[in-house]
Amino acid sequence: MTDPDLPERAIATALIHHPYQPPAGFAAPQPGIFKASTVIFASTAAMRARNWKEKVGYTYGLHGTPTTFTLEERIATLEGGLHTVLVPSGLAAIALTDMALLRSGDELLIPDNAYNPNKELARHELAGWGITHRFYDPMDVDALAAMLTPATRLVWIEPPGSVTMEFPDLTRLVRVARSQGALVALDNTWGAGLAFNPFRLEGAGVDTLGADISVHALTKYPSGGGDVLMGAVTTRDPALHLKLNAAHMRMGWGVAANDVETVLRALPSLALRYAAADDAGRALARWWSTRPEVAQVLHPALEGSPGHAHWQRLCSRSAGLFSIVFDERYTARQVDAFVDALKLFRIGFSWAGPVSLVVPYDLTAMRERPRWRGTLVRFSLGLEAVDDLIADSAQALAALNA
Ligand SMILES: *Cc1c(COP(=O)(O)O)cnc(C)c1O
């Protein structure tokens, strides 16, 4: 009990150093949420003995709280890894990987069809620090082999390619990159930890072949709400993790507890949402493949899509994401009119939230060597009824032909 007649200044102190503690042993299905910049030490000895390297205690909000440690452990499990670091966005996860592992004089190889901000980071920031880069064709493993030099420190891989959806031969890409001593970072946002295990593409035990690092934009399926930005960097190697964790700490890229809470709440339904988006995406992609307006449907689970055989060997599931290339007879203006006529599909970047999204892309501006001509439209399936999404696509075609 505190004194009910405390003077004003004493109240300020009493409110801060209040003796009440809630009873221990509260249990609920979801974990409690802890927010902290400061972490209080029991003594100067405890403060001096602090350890930020392992999850044995707490040192500062930026280095981890029970809330961030909980999500890190769950993402590590989801990805088939052992250690995870959380950062404020998927792009920050790419940046952390590059900045922790690359130094002036190193070379970085990025697939030509990678998530474009990954390429822009190399072009505009890394280049200024003396880190060089080249873009490779992920569907030509021999070409990658020919590009590797002793300076190649890191190779990014991204299955499937962003927007154009080519599914590469991951096993061969990893084996080739490794043969020259390069580290392999895999952008696993599409696979979400569910389509395949980035750390075990082939083999088992000491013969396991996989990526060194898996990067995941938790913004997408793990959040599932279209309302959180967060990224994760996961590895199996403790030394590599320590390097990433130290860089993370020095650069100060912490995440907010409320955002972590949102992702923790969404994780239990992750596999259900992924499967639903996959089923809906394949149904709509199959519908598009019957349409005469379309030259090509790009969906790794569909026969005839680039790299389908590689997808089939590794995966059973796909994200609810695909693109179509309209026949060359349609102008970019006509395709824009089609996109504008969609009612349920909304125009917007990102994906994996409840609302279905659509974006038109000009391929010639995006790729060094575009594989297709014509305007491309990418669809991201939300959680609406798929029959309604097919009907929406059908009605909007009137605008294409207008
Ligand atoms: C969205 C995305 C990212 C970046 O995630 P943000 O949280 O939006 O920064 C990275 N890689 C891929 C493949 C993505 O789709």
Side-chain angles (χ1 to χ4, degrees):
M1 279 294 277
T2 42
D3 180 353
D5 297 320
L6 285 174
E8 197 183 314
R9 283 179 57 230
I11 286 172
T13 303
L15 285 177
I16 292 166
H17 297 274
H18 200 285
Y20 177 79
Q21 293 290 328
F26 176 78
Q30 281 292 90
I33 303 305
F34 295 87
K35 300 183 183 184
S37 49
T38 296
V39 170
I40 291 170
F41 299 101
S43 64
T44 50
M47 188 193 80
R48 295 203 174 98
R50 69 190 182 276
N51 173 358
W52 59 267
K53 295 182 180 176
E54 288 141 88
K55 291 186 171 108
V56 292
Y58 304 99
T59 59
Y60 188 59
L62 204 48
H63 311 162
T65 65
T67 304
T68 59
F69 282 178
T70 301
L71 183 57
E72 284 174 359
E73 290 301 305
R74 291 187 188 183
I75 297 300
T77 301
L78 171 69
E79 300 259 2
L82 292 174
H83 313 278
T84 295
V85 177
L86 299 175
V87 287
S89 69
L91 182 54
I94 294 171
L96 174 65
T97 304
D98 287 348
M99 292 182 195
L101 304 178
L102 297 170
R103 294 294 178 263
S104 176
D106 289 345
E107 184 170 68
L108 168 68
L109 298 180
I110 304 174
D112 185 35
N113 61 3
Y115 179 66
N116 196 51
N118 184 336
K119 296 164 74 176
E120 291 286 290
L121 175 67
R123 280 189 188 114
H124 298 284
E125 304 299 330
L126 303 183
W129 301 331
I131 297 160
T132 59
H133 65 271
R134 280 183 291 163
F135 302 126
Y136 70 92
D137 177 354
M139 305 307 280
D140 186 349
V141 184
D142 295 332
L144 172 67
M147 287 169 84
L148 291 161
T149 73
T152 313
R153 175 80 186 128
L154 183 65
V155 176
W156 275 99
I157 53 181
E158 188 180 323
S162 210
V163 181
T164 40
M165 309 302 293
E166 305 94 333
F167 205 97
D169 185 343
L170 289 184
T171 322
R172 277 194 69 209
L173 285 178
V174 172
R175 189 170 285 124
V176 160
R178 280 283 188 68
S179 70
Q180 293 289 318
L183 289 167
V184 175
L186 187 149
D187 187 327
N188 196 26
T189 304
W190 173 93
L194 297 168
F196 63 92
N197 182 340
F199 296 101
R200 193 157 67 79
L201 301 169
E202 198 179 82
V206 288
D207 293 326
T208 303
L209 182 81
D212 296 290
I213 295 147
S214 176
V215 155
H216 194 163
L218 306 183
T219 306
K220 307 289 169 50
Y221 285 109
S223 144
D227 53 358
V228 174
L229 288 156
M230 200 178 295
V233 185
T234 300
T235 176
R236 278 190 181 184
D237 176 355
L240 200 50
H241 169 68
L242 201 57
K243 213 168 185 175
L244 291 159
N245 204 14
H248 170 267
M249 198 168 72
R250 290 177 192 130
M251 291 194 274
W253 287 340
V255 294
N258 290 94
D259 290 342
V260 174
E261 174 186 23
T262 306
V263 178
L264 282 171
R265 192 169 196 284
L267 275 187
S269 62
L270 172 70
L272 286 175
R273 289 182 283 106
Y274 193 83
D278 179 14
D279 292 343
R282 289 197 218 190
L284 185 62
R286 281 199 200 93
W287 179 83
W288 274 114
S289 37
T290 66
R291 296 297 317 183
E293 297 88 349
V294 170
Q296 170 108 45
V297 178
L298 302 168
H299 187 311
L302 256 62
E303 247 173 73
S305 196
H308 169 68
H310 303 311
W311 172 85
Q312 204 167 30
R313 208 173 315 127
L314 195 66
C315 310
S316 51
R317 280 285 179 196
S318 263
L321 197 68
F322 71 93
S323 296
I324 60 174
V325 184
F326 277 102
D327 189 279
E328 274 185 83
R329 69 179 179 274
Y330 298 107
T331 64
R333 273 222 351 250
Q334 283 174 294
V335 174
D336 282 355
F338 159 77
V339 169
D340 285 331
L342 289 163
K343 294 190 171 87
L344 295 178
F345 281 97
R346 311 304 296 272
I347 302 164
F349 294 113
S350 201
W351 37 277
V355 177
S356 290
L357 297 173
V358 64
V359 182
Y361 287 96
D362 173 10
L363 281 177
T364 51
M366 292 170 64
R367 300 281 183 262
E368 287 182 349
R369 293 171 292 272
R371 234 174 272 269
W372 298 277
R373 297 152 75 85
T375 302
L376 178 149
V377 175
R378 187 186 71 186
F379 294 85
S380 150
L381 279 285
L383 297 173
E384 302 93 337
V386 67
D387 288 347
D388 291 338
L389 296 174
I390 292 174
D392 190 30
S393 308
Q395 67 79 25
L397 278 174
L400 180 72
N401 291 303

